[in-house]
Amino acid sequence: MAPTSTPQTIGAVKALLLDMDGTLVNSDAVVERCWRRWAAEHGLDGDSVISVVHGRQGHATMAVLLPDRPHEENLADNARMLAWETSDVEGVVPVAGAPAFLASLARLPHALVTSADRGLSRARMDAAALPMPRVRVTAESVSASKPDPEGFLKGAAELGFAPADCVAFEDSEVGIAAARAAGMRVVGVGPRAAAHAPTAHVRDLTQVRVEALPDGGLTLHIAP
């Protein structure tokens, strides 16, 4: 779906569920450095690896790329990858509009739903100078990585709302698939999201305004 070209609203919303990488935080530089390093170690093409890493937990990406490798080896390699990524925050910046967007949500129901673990999510949110949502679902919180809907379902449950009353913000194919599988509408953020037919698509978060309604609901206003 192309970026929204006319003003759009998404109503009947109770809560927002927010992915981190590519949605709130631009961490592409770190992701590329770490995953290309890993690809070189395993004799894999770096571009092919980068094309599938976004949105998944590391061990799930490794399972896609090395399907015959034992799960235990993927978990061990994932721990090493998390250490690399957590210690490297050079070039991590907020997605345009993210500071103001999160500030507007300070008193509204919202949660972080990320494939990063607690340490990595904290490192990247801090590096981007973004406030950490009170409710967060990280890699430790789920038994299955996106595109499984478990993370989004847990986020909705922790906030106390039905999935259909929530809107997810996502940048990746697997993230959008996870939110859809959870029964949620999706705002796709950035260029990766455009091809996967989210409910609405924006270049960045400068295009999104959240209106709090007297009845406790929310309306999302999406500018062209």
Side-chain angles (χ1 to χ4, degrees):
M1 179 179 290
T4 304
S5 57
T6 58
Q8 183 176 354
T9 60
I10 301 175
V13 181
K14 298 293 186 184
L16 305 183
L17 300 178
L18 314 172
D19 175 53
M20 182 181 69
D21 293 300
T23 301
L24 298 175
V25 170
N26 183 341
S27 56
D28 284 0
V30 178
V31 170
E32 290 231 4
R33 281 195 295 272
C34 292
W35 279 98
R36 287 186 184 280
R37 174 182 175 184
W38 181 87
E41 286 185 358
H42 293 277
L44 299 174
D45 176 70
D47 290 342
S48 297
V49 169
I50 295 302
S51 72
V52 300
V53 299
H54 296 289
R56 293 182 176 90
Q57 292 185 34
H59 65 81
T61 294
M62 293 168 189
V64 170
L65 294 165
L66 299 172
D68 297 325
R69 194 166 76 151
H71 182 57
E72 293 73 18
E73 291 186 33
N74 291 337
L75 290 177
D77 244 9
N78 185 54
R80 198 161 56 105
M81 176 65 69
L82 284 170
W84 291 350
E85 291 189 296
T86 303
S87 64
D88 182 358
V89 294
E90 184 179 352
V92 173
V93 296
V95 166
F101 176 69
L102 282 174
S104 76
L105 301 184
R107 299 180 183 276
L108 303 177
H110 68 288
L112 189 73
V113 181
T114 176
S115 293
D117 68 359
R118 285 188 292 267
L120 180 55
S121 59
R122 172 59 70 183
R124 287 185 176 166
M125 293 291 279
D126 285 351
L130 295 175
M132 179 67 78
R134 180 184 61 81
V135 176
R136 48 194 178 272
V137 178
T138 61
E140 298 93 338
S141 310
V142 297
S143 61
S145 174
K146 299 172 185 176
D148 191 281
E150 182 183 1
F152 284 114
L153 293 172
K154 283 198 168 185
E158 288 196 34
L159 291 171
F161 297 105
D165 292 331
C166 300
V167 171
F169 282 68
E170 267 286 357
D171 74 300
S172 69
E173 178 180 9
V174 297
I176 291 170
R180 279 212 196 104
M184 298 174 185
R185 292 162 289 174
V186 189
V187 175
V189 181
R192 280 190 292 270
H196 306 296
T199 309
H201 177 255
V202 296
R203 296 181 304 275
D204 56 50
L205 295 172
T206 63
Q207 291 177 257
V208 183
R209 179 174 65 86
V210 181
E211 178 187 6
L213 303 176
D215 65 0
L218 308 172
T219 297
L220 305 185
H221 298 274
I222 299 180

